[in-house]
Amino acid sequence: MHFDVVTLFPEMFDALTGSGITQRARSSGLYELVLWNPRDFSTNAYRSVDDRPYGGGPGMVMMVEPLAKALRAARQRQSSSGVKHGRTVFLSPQGRPLTQQIVEELGKHDGLVLLAGRYEGVDERVLQTEIDDQISIGDYVLSGGELPAMVLMDALIRRIPGALNDAESVQQDSFSNGLLDCPQYTRPEVYGRDAVPAVLLSGHHGHISRWRMKQSLGRTWRVRPDLLVNLSLSPEQMALLEEYKMEEYKPESKKAQEHIK
Ligand code: 4FV
C-alpha cells in the first residue's frame, strides 16, 4: 500500500514509522510512506503557505496553490509507482466520522494521498478540485491533521496481511463484528481478591467463545447501545444478551449491589 502525506510537519510521522507494528510493516515493505511539504511548492518569496481569511476573522487559512501542487505531485508519484486505485483524503472535523467499516473500505485502495491541514483550515477550492473524501477522527478540534492522518494510517497498516504476527491477530478485534471487545485476562490467575473467570480456565472452547460473545454483547449494550441499533443479532445472540441483562440485574450481582448502595 502507498501512503503520501502532504504536511507542514513531516517529522511528526516518525511517531508512526519509528516504532512497533507500523515500523516493522514499513521495514518489511508492506507499505510505503512519502511526505510532501507544501512549503516546497510555495512560489512566493517568503515560501508562505497561509494567508488571512477573506471576510476577516481569526487565524489563517492554507493557500490553494502550494497544496494543489503538492497533492498533484503526490498523486503523480503514486501512479508512476503502479497505484491503480488511489484516493485523496482530507482529515477534517467536517469529514465522515471514521469507523472500522470506513477503514475496511479505504483499505481496498492501493494508494492513499492524505492532506493534513493546519491553522483554521484550507482554502475551499482545494476541497473542490483536489479532494475525493473528508474523514474526521472525532468531534473535537486539534491543532493539525497530522495525528488524524496517523490514526487512519495505523488502522489501515495493521490490517495489511503480514503486518501482524499471530499473537497480534485482528480476528477478535473490537468492531470486527460490530461489537465492543470482551474482557481480556492473563496471568496471574488471582490478583488480590479478583480471580480470572473460571470458564476461561476450563479449556472448553465452546463455553469460552459463548462467554466472550455474551460479554461483548453485554458490554456493547451497557456502553455503546448505539452500536446495537445497526446490528441484526442472531437468535442465539439475543438470548445471550437477555441472559447477560438478567445476570446484570440479579439482586446478588455487583451491579445490583452498586444500585442498592
Ligand atoms: C481533525 C479532526 C481536526 C482542524 C483545524 C486541524 C484540525 C486544524 N481532523 N479529525 N477532529 N483538524 O481537528 O480530523 O487545521
Side-chain angles (χ1 to χ4, degrees):
M1 186 160 194
H2 289 263
F3 294 101
D4 285 66
V5 183
V6 173
T7 169
L8 286 172
F9 299 101
E11 67 281 4
M12 286 181 70
F13 289 80
D14 297 351
L16 192 79
T17 56
S19 44
I21 290 164
T22 47
Q23 176 192 37
R24 194 179 62 211
R26 190 181 190 206
S27 36
S28 51
L30 291 180
Y31 73 92
E32 198 166 328
L33 170 60
V34 177
L35 302 162
W36 305 81
N37 190 326
R39 216 172 278 292
D40 301 334
F41 296 84
S42 171
T43 51
N44 62 56
Y46 311 96
R47 285 164 44 87
S48 59
V49 294
D50 63 307
D51 204 335
R52 284 174 293 104
Y54 277 117
M60 301 294 271
V61 174
M62 295 186 82
M63 300 158 73
V64 56
E65 192 185 9
L67 291 179
K69 285 182 173 170
L71 289 165
R72 288 186 201 135
R75 277 198 293 273
Q76 180 47 51
R77 186 204 75 79
Q78 290 206 350
S79 53
S80 48
S81 307
V83 167
K84 296 278 176 291
H85 311 291
R87 199 158 176 72
T88 305
V89 176
F90 176 45
L91 288 302
S92 150
Q94 283 74 45
R96 302 187 283 161
L98 183 61
T99 62
Q100 192 63 26
Q101 207 172 355
I102 291 176
V103 169
E104 311 286 335
E105 172 206 312
L106 290 175
K108 295 192 180 78
H109 293 272
D110 53 353
L112 289 180
V113 174
L114 305 180
L115 172 56
R118 280 274 157 173
Y119 311 106
E120 298 311 306
V122 306
D123 187 298
E124 189 67 14
R125 291 166 288 187
V126 175
L127 309 182
Q128 287 154 356
T129 58
E130 307 296 337
I131 298 297
D132 303 315
D133 204 349
Q134 292 192 50
I135 298 282
S136 169
I137 65 164
D139 298 341
Y140 38 80
V141 180
L142 303 167
S143 58
E146 284 77 13
L147 294 174
M150 285 188 261
V151 165
L152 175 57
M153 290 172 68
D154 186 295
L156 286 161
I157 289 163
R158 62 189 302 285
R159 51 184 298 295
I160 297 173
L164 299 182
N165 55 34
D166 298 351
E168 301 149 337
S169 83
V170 289
Q171 253 80 37
Q172 273 120 29
D173 258 356
S174 300
F175 309 108
S176 55
N177 54 7
L179 297 171
L180 298 186
D181 212 353
C182 61
Q184 304 284 354
Y185 293 87
T186 186
R187 284 180 294 194
E189 222 173 279
V190 180
Y191 179 69
R193 287 177 307 107
D194 301 325
V196 170
V199 62
L200 297 179
L201 310 171
S202 68
H204 192 299
H205 297 299
H207 293 171
I208 290 169
S209 53
R210 185 179 184 284
W211 179 86
R212 284 176 168 164
M213 175 51 74
K214 185 160 92 175
Q215 294 301 320
S216 279
L217 289 162
R219 184 179 266 185
T220 308
W221 165 69
R222 256 187 315 108
V223 181
R224 292 290 309 279
D226 58 296
L227 292 173
L228 290 178
V229 175
N230 345 322
L231 274 183
S232 50
L233 299 181
S234 68
E236 296 76 26
Q237 288 177 315
M238 303 282 262
L240 276 177
L241 180 52
E242 285 321 303
E243 206 178 290
Y244 181 94
K245 291 178 183 175
M246 298 313 289
E247 283 165 10
E248 187 70 5
Y249 288 104
K250 257 208 319 274
E252 67 279 7
S253 76
K254 247 206 255 98
K255 172 72 70 190
Q257 298 309 323
E258 277 152 23
H259 275 281
I260 294 161
K261 275 202 215 86

